[in-house]
């Protein structure tokens, strides 16, 4: 997102899709630190149909293990994304 915001320049726009609250906060801080006023962060997930999705946040402390699914995860914490 930061690279894209830099590449498109001040007249371009970047829309970042980030449903995870803690990861979204990190992304928003990086955008602010890089003074990218051309980036908009959307607190949603992208899917191929209009449906409720679930964000499985994965293992505690491992933000890279999060995943979005149409099905409720069998284990672990999950948040519904309308």
């Amino acid at each position: 997102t930061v690279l894209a915001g830099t590449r498109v320049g001040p007249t371009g726009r970047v829309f970042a899709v980030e449903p995870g609250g803690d990861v979204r906060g990190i992304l928003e801080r990086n955008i602010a630190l890089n003074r990218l006023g051309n980036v908009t962060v959307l607190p949603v997930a992208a899917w191929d149909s209009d449906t409720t999705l679930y964000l499985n946040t994965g293992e505690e402390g491992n933000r890279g293990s999060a995943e979005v699914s149409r099905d409720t995860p069998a284990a672990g914490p999950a948040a519904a994304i309308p």
Side-chain angles (χ1 to χ4, degrees), residues 19 43 45 51-56 69 72-73 77-82:
T51 186
T52 297
L53 299 172
Y54 297 92
L55 175 63
N56 180 346
S69 171
T72 306
I81 306 167

Side-chain angles (χ1 to χ4, degrees), residues 30-44:
N30 281 333
I31 291 166
L33 285 170
N34 286 278
R35 297 186 177 116
L36 296 172
N38 60 347
V39 177
T40 301
V41 180
L42 304 172
V44 298

Side-chain angles (χ1 to χ4, degrees), residues 45-82:
W47 204 257
D48 65 351
S49 61
D50 187 12
T51 186
T52 297
L53 299 172
Y54 297 92
L55 175 63
N56 180 346
T57 55
E59 303 170 26
E60 187 174 337
N62 184 359
R63 291 183 181 99
S65 66
E67 65 181 0
V68 174
S69 171
R70 190 173 49 203
D71 304 314
T72 306
I81 306 167

